[in-house]
Amino acid sequence: MWLWVTSIAGEFWFGFSWLLDQLPKLNPINRVPDLAVLRRRFDHADGTSSLPGLDVFVTTADPIKEPILSTANSILSILAADYPVDRNTCYLSDDSGMLLTYEAMAESAKFATLWVPFCRKHAIEPRGPESYFELKSHPYMGRAQEEFVNDRRRVRKEYDDFKARINALDHDIRQRADSYNAAAGLGDGEPRPTWMADGSQWEGTWVDASENHRKGDHAGIVLVLLNHPSHARQLGPPASAENPLDFSGVDVRLPMLVYVSREKRPGHNHQKKAGAMNALTRASGVLSNSPFILNLDCDHYINNSQALRAGICFMLGRDSDTVAFVQFPQRFEGVDPTDLYANHNRIFFDGTLRALDGLQGPIYVGTGCLFRRITLYGFEPPRINVGGPCFPRLGGLFAKNKYQKPGLEMTKPGAIPVAPAKGKHGFLPLPKKAYGKSDAFADTIPRASHPSTFAAEAAVAADEAAIAEAVMVTAAAYEKKTGWGSDLGWVYGTVTEDVVTGYRMHIKGWRSRYCSIYPHAFIGTAPINLTERLFQVLRWSTGSLEIFFSRNNPLFGSTFLHPLQRVAYINITTYPFTALFLIFYTTVPALSFVTGHFIVQRPTTMFYVYLAIVLGTLLILAVLEVKWAGVTVFEWFRNGQFWMTASCSAYLAAVLQVVCKVVFRRDISFKLTSKLPSGDEKKDPYADLYVVRWTWLMITPIIIILVNIIGSAVAFAKVLDGEWTHWLKVAGGVFFNFWVLFHLYPFAKGILGKHGKTPVVVLVWWAFTFVITAVLYINIPHIHGPGRHGASSSSSHGKHTHSSNKLGDVFYGWP
């Protein structure tokens, strides 16, 4: 009975989860940015632009696991993006506080003086140097084609030298530290500082960690590598002995570049990436205070130089004042051609997220997202439409105006309000103490909240006072007794701070937009190794369940959340529960062959008709969804295969971890996903794909594989042995078992196979296990009962027939 109840519960859950996935897709929509209109409206004939300021946040936590060269390429692509130079500011957050990261950024700033003008002169795409020089063909889009070959050869040589310097930085820093410490006569027992190139001590983490200079215990650092450029164009010099490239007609200004390492001290909960993003928000408010913020991971570079403009289109277009953020799809390079572990995840990005654009908009997925700064400060939208596409006029009933927007005089640097504000908290949506003790930072909030900020004066160069204030607002104790992490900024309390941060904006009535352009806006590096991929999914699924068991549960969201948007959030916070029923479905039918007890009688002909109608309908809907999203059938099926692997491993582990957290009040910790290949990439770019790093997450899929092989082998042996007389009675169950094995084939291939070759070893092991099980079953009598010949066989057969008549005509293997 308990098997039957579990089976029925599983059927209801699978049907319910399918509805949760399909209902938010009822109003799909495609939006395309019109960059030509944007240029006509905001770009001027003299080369200047009135586009709004944009702060780009790049976060890194470990220059070893996150290769420093990838971070440097990301920074270079941001500096070279096609966006007004004086309106573009790049911030790098280094949570490790290591001199290695800072000096890599300093080298990047030097190389940018050559790379950025080269990109502008020849309209280079993509503008990440590593990806550009790996292209096999270079279609030219610039106007100086006769100079292109020589310029490219020169820049390639300089980039090779730049890579050599980046790769040698770790050794150079250690050698420099040893030299300075030896000159100072410091012994092995004394603290040995790490020295910068200018001869000053590094305030962050030292090579030889000591008190106040170790990871998790160091002072805050804010260093401006490239200060804010002038507002007027600055043309480069002509070709000469010192300048081999002719930049006489090219604007050589570079965007502002700032290195930030927030203060960390023992005893403080630094809130991982969410805490780093909030620290960047405050520091950037003091230094540049751009009205829009784009956040990228350190391994994501700008692949399309128009990406920033495309995102801004959705913030400045018609009916855009209620748009909180614009989410770009995540694209990856370095994935094997077969995408064995579904790293591209096109079903989610091009299907689910794009479809949500017809409601309140896509959810926030962590990187490649453009924010309106005031949404991070707790502001509510100027108007709220709770009626959705069906009843848009309902929005007028819920219009809000709880505080006054500041006038133009508030948008100028150093300006103070000349008239008292009418709102409860002045120009702020929350009490001033909620933002912290920095008056300088609080004064920047009204200027960022003005809807015409892009028409105001651009930021000025950062002086020592501004830098000192930026260090202060990134202090470890700054957020104490403030609203950061709850009412302000990125939300704390979960490892998936992205989903819950976007959710908190949506329940206030803000909307979001999905922006997909070609060439792809941003491209990152996927965790190609199976172990790292499983840990990545484990982190995502655990964070989703944490949201479900918190006060941010979408079931209790405000009425400003669109009903179908609520369904989408319920789906994104409950999907790991599928593992509980899926493991039952992938093991019990196979075990039924061994035990001889089945939970479902043989279905009638009419049931087969209903089943065919249901499966046909599901297949038609899947084909329509795939066709609309532009996803290939292969990608759709590969996504299903990895869903099976993830459900049997990471999803189940996430459920167990969150249950332990809820019951025993224990925090969940995760290691950083490594993006550093461990194989020999020179011989095989996918060498890391089959590097086996065993983890406990692999245990459950291996058990499921063995159970299904053994169950099929036992059924085969029972038919050969005469214990079962009809092949058709076991055909359905055996087919189901092999269907499970087929879905777990990429997992088996990942732990046993080799790239580029037929994974014969996988098939050999499956066949070997199958044959050995069948032979053992036939030749060991006590496994299946008394002898098989003569009266014993007849008696056994008669007993089996009587049992079958008692239970009904059983359909073997029906799950």
Side-chain angles (χ1 to χ4, degrees):
M1 179 59 67
W2 71 270
L3 290 176
W4 182 85
V5 171
T6 306
S7 176
I8 296 301
E11 293 293 340
F12 275 107
W13 175 258
F14 290 137
F16 176 66
S17 61
W18 180 84
L19 285 175
L20 291 181
D21 184 61
Q22 294 298 317
L23 287 177
K25 301 174 182 177
L26 293 180
N27 187 39
I29 189 172
N30 278 314
R31 303 180 192 271
V32 180
D34 195 334
L35 299 180
V37 173
L38 188 77
R39 291 185 182 275
R40 288 198 302 268
R41 181 179 176 186
F42 293 99
D43 291 356
H44 309 307
D46 60 355
T48 60
S49 175
S50 57
L51 280 170
L54 177 61
D55 292 339
V56 183
F57 293 173
V58 180
T59 55
T60 182
D62 191 331
I64 307 302
K65 291 185 177 181
E66 300 169 325
I68 194 65
L69 184 61
S70 296
T71 306
N73 271 269
S74 176
I75 297 298
L76 289 168
S77 69
I78 294 169
L79 299 180
D82 184 8
Y83 202 79
V85 182
D86 56 336
R87 309 288 174 132
N88 181 11
T89 305
C90 179
Y91 293 86
L92 174 72
S93 170
D94 176 22
D95 250 13
S96 67
M98 296 180 66
L99 180 59
L100 173 63
T101 306
Y102 169 75
E103 295 210 348
M105 295 306 100
E107 290 290 344
S108 301
K110 294 178 183 177
F111 180 68
T113 59
L114 177 67
W115 173 251
V116 174
F118 169 71
C119 291
R120 292 173 183 163
K121 178 180 178 180
H122 298 291
I124 297 301
E125 296 285 351
R127 299 196 174 180
E130 184 72 17
S131 299
Y132 172 71
F133 288 121
E134 286 182 351
L135 293 177
K136 296 181 179 180
S137 61
H138 302 274
Y140 186 71
M141 303 297 291
R143 300 180 180 177
Q145 189 165 2
E146 64 278 1
E147 302 177 27
F148 172 63
V149 175
N150 291 331
D151 288 356
R152 181 183 177 279
R153 184 181 299 114
R154 176 71 181 183
V155 175
R156 176 60 187 265
K157 180 180 180 303
E158 292 294 334
Y159 179 66
D160 289 339
D161 294 341
F162 165 75
K163 287 175 60 177
R165 293 194 300 271
I166 292 291
N167 293 330
L169 275 178
D170 188 35
H171 175 266
D172 293 344
I173 292 172
R174 293 178 182 274
Q175 193 175 45
R176 182 197 309 153
D178 292 341
S179 176
Y180 274 96
N181 292 329
L186 296 176
D188 293 336
E190 302 177 73
R192 297 167 59 82
T194 299
W195 301 83
M196 302 174 65
D198 60 2
S200 58
Q201 289 186 9
W202 177 246
E203 295 183 356
T205 305
W206 287 353
V207 173
D208 299 323
S210 63
E211 187 177 358
N212 298 325
H213 294 284
R214 62 169 62 93
K215 193 172 183 179
D217 182 15
H218 60 80
I221 306 171
V222 177
L223 297 172
V224 178
L225 294 161
L226 295 172
N227 217 322
H228 198 279
S230 61
H231 301 313
R233 296 185 67 195
Q234 180 181 345
L235 301 181
S240 63
E242 293 79 12
N243 303 290
L245 274 65
D246 181 13
F247 292 146
S248 56
V250 182
D251 187 358
V252 296
R253 292 177 300 161
L254 297 178
M256 187 176 182
L257 176 60
V258 183
Y259 171 90
V260 178
S261 182
R262 57 181 174 143
E263 181 188 17
K264 284 191 170 183
R265 297 301 179 192
H268 286 83
N269 188 350
H270 301 103
Q271 304 296 345
K272 305 180 180 64
K273 181 181 177 180
M277 296 296 291
N278 286 336
L280 277 180
T281 302
R282 298 190 295 270
S284 64
V286 174
L287 295 177
S288 56
N289 199 34
S290 298
F292 299 103
I293 295 172
L294 172 70
N295 84 285
L296 293 174
D297 288 343
C298 62
D299 62 316
H300 278 66
Y301 66 89
I302 297 181
N303 181 63
N304 187 336
S305 63
Q306 305 295 313
L308 305 185
R309 289 178 175 267
I312 288 294
C313 269
F314 293 100
M315 292 295 193
L316 304 181
R318 184 186 301 110
D319 195 32
S320 62
D321 57 339
T322 60
V323 176
F325 61 88
V326 177
Q327 179 64 60
F328 290 83
Q330 295 182 18
R331 308 298 187 198
F332 301 99
E333 63 183 3
V335 179
D336 67 293
T338 62
D339 194 12
L340 193 63
Y341 307 131
N343 280 297
H344 289 307
N345 207 4
R346 293 282 302 277
I347 298 296
F348 175 73
F349 289 112
D350 291 342
T352 303
L353 289 192
R354 190 194 299 270
L356 288 176
D357 211 358
L359 305 176
Q360 274 184 267
I363 63 175
Y364 169 38
V365 293
T367 185
C369 192
L370 178 67
F371 285 95
R372 193 180 298 271
R373 182 182 284 268
I374 61 171
T375 60
L376 299 169
Y377 291 159
F379 281 75
E380 295 176 340
R383 49 194 173 80
I384 300 176
N385 181 9
V386 296
C390 300
F391 307 100
R393 293 187 179 181
L394 287 179
L397 301 177
F398 297 91
K400 293 191 174 186
N401 188 18
K402 292 186 177 180
Y403 44 81
Q404 179 186 1
K405 291 289 190 297
L408 285 174
E409 69 278 356
M410 282 295 297
T411 66
K412 297 181 180 180
I416 57 176
V418 295
K422 296 181 179 180
K424 182 179 179 180
H425 306 295
F427 288 127
L428 303 178
L430 298 175
K432 188 175 180 179
K433 63 180 181 180
Y435 297 90
K437 298 180 179 180
S438 173
D439 292 335
F441 169 68
D443 291 342
T444 66
I445 297 174
R447 293 198 293 272
S449 69
H450 195 279
S452 299
T453 307
F454 53 84
E457 296 180 7
V460 297
D463 55 17
E464 293 184 1
I467 295 175
E469 192 70 25
V471 173
M472 194 272 284
V473 298
T474 59
Y478 182 84
E479 295 181 352
K480 188 176 182 181
K481 295 183 179 180
T482 68
W484 290 100
S486 56
D487 300 317
L488 303 174
W490 276 259
V491 180
Y492 301 154
T494 174
V495 295
T496 52
E497 73 289 332
D498 46 3
V499 175
V500 69
T501 299
Y503 166 76
R504 296 289 289 273
M505 295 177 183
H506 279 143
I507 63 175
K508 290 183 178 180
W510 287 102
R511 297 177 298 160
S512 57
R513 290 287 180 259
Y514 182 79
C515 181
S516 179
I517 59 177
Y518 189 83
H520 303 310
F522 313 109
I523 292 183
T525 303
I528 196 173
N529 182 269
L530 175 60
T531 303
E532 298 296 337
R533 180 76 167 108
L534 290 178
F535 274 116
Q536 182 187 62
V537 175
L538 173 62
R539 184 172 67 252
W540 293 344
S541 52
T542 301
S544 296
L545 290 176
E546 284 180 322
I547 297 173
F548 183 79
F549 288 104
S550 71
R551 66 187 182 96
N552 295 306
N553 189 312
L555 289 172
F556 311 114
S558 72
T559 57
F560 297 127
L561 193 65
H562 190 285
L564 292 182
Q565 191 81 18
R566 189 188 307 274
V567 172
Y569 273 110
I570 294 174
N571 183 40
I572 204 68
T573 56
T574 59
Y575 70 88
F577 288 123
T578 301
L580 301 177
F581 299 101
L582 189 63
I583 292 177
F584 173 86
Y585 267 62
T586 55
T587 54
V588 171
L591 291 175
S592 297
F593 284 125
V594 179
T595 62
H597 298 287
F598 303 95
I599 59 178
V600 179
Q601 295 183 359
R602 184 174 183 177
T604 63
T605 303
M606 187 56 65
F607 178 84
Y608 284 121
V609 174
Y610 289 144
L611 181 63
I613 294 174
V614 171
L615 293 180
T617 304
L618 295 178
L619 182 61
I620 292 174
L621 290 175
V623 170
L624 290 176
E625 180 182 347
V626 167
K627 181 178 177 59
W628 172 79
V631 179
T632 65
V633 175
F634 176 79
E635 289 174 324
W636 174 74
F637 191 78
R638 184 66 84 194
N639 183 81
Q641 285 183 311
F642 186 75
W643 173 81
M644 175 76 80
T645 301
S647 298
C648 298
S649 56
Y651 293 178
L652 178 63
V655 173
L656 297 177
Q657 285 188 342
V658 173
V659 168
C660 291
K661 177 182 178 179
V662 172
V663 175
F664 300 106
R665 303 293 180 183
R666 297 184 60 181
D667 290 335
I668 301 174
S669 60
F670 287 94
K671 71 185 186 73
L672 185 67
T673 302
S674 177
K675 304 294 181 63
L676 183 65
S678 60
D680 190 353
E681 286 194 312
K682 293 183 179 180
K683 295 181 179 179
D684 184 357
Y686 312 115
D688 195 54
L689 181 63
Y690 297 108
V691 174
V692 180
R693 299 169 182 165
W694 289 101
T695 172
W696 59 278
L697 295 177
M698 298 179 179
I699 296 177
T700 309
I702 291 176
I703 292 176
I704 292 175
I705 290 175
L706 292 176
V707 167
N708 279 273
I709 293 176
I710 292 172
S712 301
V714 169
F716 182 77
K718 285 185 176 182
V719 174
L720 289 181
D721 196 39
E723 189 172 342
W724 291 343
T725 58
H726 299 290
W727 284 93
L728 293 179
K729 288 189 175 183
V730 300
V734 171
F735 174 79
F736 179 80
N737 290 353
F738 278 97
W739 188 245
V740 171
L741 294 174
F742 185 65
H743 274 75
L744 290 175
Y745 171 76
F747 171 82
K749 183 179 178 182
I751 61 177
L752 295 176
K754 294 183 179 180
H755 175 65
K757 299 180 180 179
T758 303
V760 178
V761 65
V762 178
L763 303 179
V764 169
W765 272 104
W766 285 4
F768 177 78
T769 306
F770 183 91
V771 171
I772 291 298
T773 303
V775 170
L776 289 176
Y777 184 88
I778 294 174
N779 289 278
I780 301 179
H782 70 271
I783 292 182
H784 53 84
R788 302 184 300 272
H789 303 286
S792 297
S793 177
S794 175
S795 174
S796 176
H797 180 68
K799 184 178 181 180
H800 173 74
T801 304
H802 176 74
S803 177
S804 296
N805 291 334
K806 183 178 179 180
L807 294 176
D809 192 2
V810 179
F811 177 74
Y812 296 110
W814 188 262

